[in-house]
Amino acid sequence: MGDLWVFGYGSLMWRPGFAFEERMKARLGGFHRSLCIYSHVHRGTPERPGLVFGLDRGGSCIGMGFRVAEAQREEVIAYLRERELPTSVYKETTLPIRLEDGRPVRALAYIVDRGHTQYAGRLDVETAARLVAGGHGQSGPNVDYVRSAHEEILRLGLTDRWLGEVVARL
């Protein structure tokens, strides 16, 4: 099967949680990063949901590509399924990405299931900030997750005005 590429666009960018051989900025076409998923496990609960990122239809997303050695392929996939799919709000798929050095590769990615009850869609800034401020789950406060994602997005040289407004209200 060869080495595995994984596309990270949220917490995977700064905390992949698995060993990798190579890490490089990458672009995924056809999907954009969106704070569009009610978190019931990692950053919230069903009674008090937080918000986490999903890859939603349309546009493009700059994130991080990780190359995993073939020998760790199955272990990393099992880890990612446990981490990303506790409530099946994401669909696991393989999509083409373009690495910063121009190489096209196919990468494992997790896109949002718009038919899932945890799909929040596009929220206004005030609603998103309120949910993030009140969310706390198994992985900690939702505020920490959103601030860390925003910092990583800025480190990549990107601007997300809507997310910046959410962070300013936290």
Side-chain angles (χ1 to χ4, degrees), residues 3-153:
D3 289 350
L4 170 71
W5 281 91
V6 176
F7 182 72
Y9 58 90
S11 62
L12 285 176
M13 290 191 301
W14 73 87
R15 191 179 50 85
F18 55 84
F20 55 88
E21 303 299 312
E22 186 177 358
R23 176 181 187 261
M24 187 176 294
K25 194 170 167 182
R27 177 184 296 274
L28 169 67
F31 296 90
H32 66 281
R33 178 182 14 254
S34 177
L35 200 57
C36 66
I37 296 173
Y38 295 118
S39 178
H40 291 175
V41 176
H42 290 290
R43 299 296 175 167
T45 64
E47 301 76 32
R48 195 165 180 177
L51 282 176
V52 293
F53 290 99
L55 285 173
D56 207 353
R57 292 190 304 233
S60 67
C61 178
I62 294 176
M64 204 57 66
F66 297 91
R67 182 174 59 83
V68 175
E70 182 178 17
Q72 277 71 52
R73 180 187 190 91
E74 294 308 315
E75 176 185 332
V76 168
I77 290 172
Y79 165 78
L80 288 171
R81 286 177 178 162
E82 184 176 323
R83 176 177 169 164
E84 301 296 324
L85 302 175
T87 63
S88 300
V89 68
Y90 297 108
K91 295 178 184 178
E92 182 180 88
T93 188
T94 302
L95 297 168
I97 64 172
R98 182 161 305 273
L99 301 173
E100 187 174 40
D101 67 6
R103 284 181 289 163
V105 298
R106 294 192 61 78
L108 188 65
Y110 293 88
I111 61 171
V112 67
D113 177 357
R114 283 184 157 206
H116 198 281
T117 58
Q118 287 176 248
Y119 177 65
R122 182 155 176 82
L123 300 172
D124 61 72
V125 169
E126 291 77 21
T127 301
R130 180 179 47 77
L131 287 165
V132 169
H136 192 286
Q138 289 177 3
S139 297
N142 198 189
V143 170
D144 293 350
Y145 167 88
V146 171
R147 283 186 175 142
S148 294
H150 185 244
E151 289 169 10
E152 187 65 20
I153 289 165

